[in-house]
Amino acid sequence: MPPTPPREREPLSLNALLLVPALLLAAGACVAVAARHFALASAFTGTLVLVPLVFRLWTRPWYRGLVLRGLGLFIAGMHVPMLAGGVLAYGRIGCEGPDCGQTLLWGIVLAPVAGAVCSVVYWLVGRPPV
């Protein structure tokens, strides 16, 4: 009987490469929470959220027009909190002074964050037009 050739190894998936850093970051966050060092815990948790996101954006196939559409969604998405802040301030009967200003200010402060979230979500799930 002839010897069987050795089996070839399957290539390592890109998602498996994220497993070790994600586990290390999660362990670091748990240790920081146990040590009551909440600034370090929030840094570990934020990094744990950002690493797969950045990795996916970095390794995905990009096509023409994806960036331009993402920027368009940034502009559209950043108007949602500003409009919501305006509607909330306008809806308060007799709203005067700093109360109304704070509501509008929160909408303005959250506008770039909402725009960035809309862009990134589109870049993660966007498919090329057929």
Side-chain angles (χ1 to χ4, degrees), residues 56-74 118-129:
R56 172 69 174 125
L57 288 173
W58 187 22
T59 58
R60 81 164 305 196
W62 291 85
Y63 59 89
R64 193 183 78 196
L66 185 66
V67 174
L68 190 59
R69 289 185 190 112
L71 291 176
L73 276 174
F74 174 82
C118 287
S119 295
V120 169
V121 167
Y122 176 71
W123 287 335
L124 288 174
V125 299
R127 299 282 178 246

Side-chain angles (χ1 to χ4, degrees), residues 71-100:
L71 291 176
L73 276 174
F74 174 82
I75 292 170
M78 73 181 288
H79 285 81
V80 171
M82 289 191 292
L83 289 172
V87 167
L88 288 174
Y90 182 74
R92 298 168 105 188
I93 297 174
C95 183
E96 292 180 6
D99 268 357
C100 288

Side-chain angles (χ1 to χ4, degrees), residues 33-52:
V33 167
R36 296 182 186 257
H37 199 295
F38 297 113
L40 188 60
S42 63
F44 272 119
T45 305
T47 307
L48 183 62
V49 169
L50 286 176
V51 164

Side-chain angles (χ1 to χ4, degrees), residues 1-3 5 9 14-15 28-31 45 61 72 75 78 82 88 104:
M1 185 175 253
R9 285 186 168 179
L14 293 177
N15 292 334
C30 289
V31 169
T45 305
I75 292 170
M78 73 181 288
M82 289 191 292
L88 288 174
L104 291 173

